[in-house]
Amino acid sequence: MSRFFGFFATALGIYALVNAYILRRAFQGLAGFGWANAPLRALLVVWALSYPVGRVAERLLPSANFPRTLVVWGSVYLGFMVTTLFLFAAADIAFLAGRLAPGLPIVGHRGPAAPALRRTVLLAVAVLSALIVGLGAVNSRFPRVREATVALKGPAGRPLRVVLFSDLHMGPLMGNGRVRSLVRKVNALSPDVVLLVGDIVDEDISRLAEERMAEALRDLSPKLGSFAVTGNHEYYAGEEEAVSYLESAGITVLRDQAVVLDGRLVLAGRKDLTAARFGGSRLPLPKILEGLPEGKPVLLMDHQPRNLEEAEATGVSLQVSGHTHNGQIFPFNFVTSRIYEVSRGWGSRGDTKVLVSSGVGTWGPPMRTSAAPEIWVLTLEFTGDR
């Protein structure tokens, strides 16, 4: 619990500092707007507070409507916050260059920047931010279908068609209608197996029940079943509640468990690494596969693409993961590419192939500017080799 409060205090502190900088620059640009100055300042402050206030209100108020509205509008603000942060920072760098070299066109100046120049910057930042957030929001609502064929050593037979997605984040921004649309897309791909690779729920199971999300997921119709693993958000929502909810939708959640599909493929699923932060643990991968038939390829679901060397050492044929969103918003994709050995798409460790999906939903800002949402279709071909 103390670790949670430490994390919460740190996140809130960073949020406050970032918004103090953004609001200061915005207020400088609003100077001289006359009667509209004060209302616009108040509106910006309220908008900046809406996300954290909405998240707290979700847990304190009996009615879901008001907190949900705050969270939705606050999530939109998060997109503007990230975008304006970088744009204002770029403007400040230009102002610094203009002060060091007064002869520069447009930004060249001596002393503090003129109010008219600050207003111009504010208007430019507002217009560019609205354009970026708008395009990112549109991009986030249209999942791309990506296909690949994967050759696996194992008993020969017909190919298996596996459809997978991750990071759905069902909640205020991914409602029943969008989930049903996703299910229709997945069913149209005629899957033998559907894999949900973690972070299927966001943080509040009771809200999902109100919108009958389980009914939407129950319409998935693969021939051999739907399987999921926990992600970090399943733990934020409450592991047992989240797993129970997914199972009520007809989805088998593999928590350090493995099953044999079609007599030819071992499908294993790991608990998310976040289990350790909530007093749990996860089994070593060899323990999960213990007692299963040998000579069959192993497809491993693990939400976070970490510790790939363990999958390689255990002889996993293919690991599928999510979690990274490939940063979701530019330029955070450069951050995730430094953190994870494979941040998006295909990679490998020895004979182990690794696929990291950038996810199908969003977390925080309802926008994507560093990666499109995606559904993967894998055709697994069995070579007959042992």
Side-chain angles (χ1 to χ4, degrees), residues 308-319:
L308 301 181
E309 64 279 359
E310 187 179 4
E312 177 191 8
T314 312
V316 168
S317 302
L318 171 63
Q319 175 173 326

Side-chain angles (χ1 to χ4, degrees), residues 6-330:
F7 170 79
F8 181 77
T10 301
L12 197 60
I14 294 172
Y15 187 84
L17 288 173
V18 168
N19 281 284
Y21 169 72
I22 291 171
L23 291 175
R24 177 177 171 78
R25 289 292 176 259
F27 291 172
Q28 287 174 335
L30 288 173
F33 269 60
W35 65 268
N37 191 337
L40 288 174
R41 289 186 180 211
L43 179 63
L44 287 176
V45 171
V46 170
W47 201 15
L49 291 173
S50 58
Y51 188 79
V53 171
R55 282 301 189 187
V56 173
E58 278 182 323
R59 287 161 172 74
L60 298 179
L61 297 180
S63 172
N65 293 330
F66 178 65
R68 185 176 298 149
T69 300
L70 286 178
V71 169
V72 170
W73 281 105
S75 298
V76 174
Y77 174 78
L78 293 179
F80 278 91
M81 181 186 78
V82 172
T83 308
T84 56
L85 172 65
F86 288 108
L87 291 176
F88 276 131
D92 280 346
I93 292 171
F95 282 148
L96 178 60
R99 191 164 187 173
L100 295 175
L104 285 174
I106 303 176
V107 295
H109 65 283
R110 290 183 174 84
L117 186 55
R118 288 288 187 189
R119 280 198 299 275
T120 301
V121 168
L122 175 61
L123 291 172
V125 166
V127 170
L128 284 173
S129 295
L131 182 63
I132 292 169
V133 171
L135 291 175
V138 171
N139 181 48
S140 73
R141 298 183 73 90
F142 295 95
R144 280 60 159 180
V145 175
R146 309 196 190 283
E147 301 193 36
T149 299
V150 182
L152 300 177
K153 293 181 180 180
R158 69 178 182 84
L160 285 180
R161 191 169 173 85
V162 176
V163 176
L164 69 90
F165 57 88
S166 71
D167 302 277
L168 182 57
H169 290 283
M170 292 191 302
L173 299 172
M174 179 63 75
N176 190 294
R178 290 184 66 186
V179 174
R180 288 191 181 279
S181 175
L182 173 66
V183 168
R184 286 194 295 271
K185 286 184 172 68
V186 169
N187 287 340
L189 296 169
S190 302
D192 292 310
V193 182
V194 172
L195 305 182
L196 295 79
V197 196
D199 279 5
I200 307 308
V201 307
D202 198 42
E203 294 177 10
D204 192 338
I205 299 302
S206 63
R207 305 304 189 222
L208 305 186
E210 288 178 14
E211 294 198 27
R212 299 181 177 179
M213 298 286 200
E215 291 183 12
L217 287 178
R218 197 176 295 120
D219 288 338
L220 287 168
S221 57
K223 300 178 182 68
L224 300 176
S226 300
F227 299 85
V229 290
T230 55
N232 49 305
H233 278 260
E234 273 71 42
Y235 286 90
Y236 303 154
E239 180 191 8
E240 295 303 327
E241 293 86 349
V243 169
S244 176
Y245 192 78
L246 291 173
E247 289 178 341
S248 75
I251 296 166
T252 301
V253 182
L254 299 176
R255 290 188 283 176
D256 287 348
Q257 297 168 296
V259 296
V260 179
L261 296 179
D262 201 38
R264 293 179 294 146
L265 176 70
V266 173
L267 175 65
R270 304 200 72 177
K271 292 182 179 180
D272 186 65
L273 285 164
T274 309
R277 288 169 49 191
F278 288 80
S281 62
R282 63 184 200 164
L283 293 174
L285 186 53
K287 190 72 175 176
I288 298 172
L289 300 176
E290 195 174 81
L292 289 166
E294 296 183 1
K296 292 178 172 54
V298 177
L299 193 167
L300 173 66
M301 290 192 290
D302 195 353
H303 178 63
Q304 298 188 45
R306 295 183 182 273
N307 305 325
L308 301 181
E309 64 279 359
E310 187 179 4
E312 177 191 8
T314 312
V316 168
S317 302
L318 171 63
Q319 175 173 326
V320 293
S321 300
H323 184 65
T324 71
H325 294 219
N326 195 42
Q328 188 170 314
I329 299 176
F330 178 86

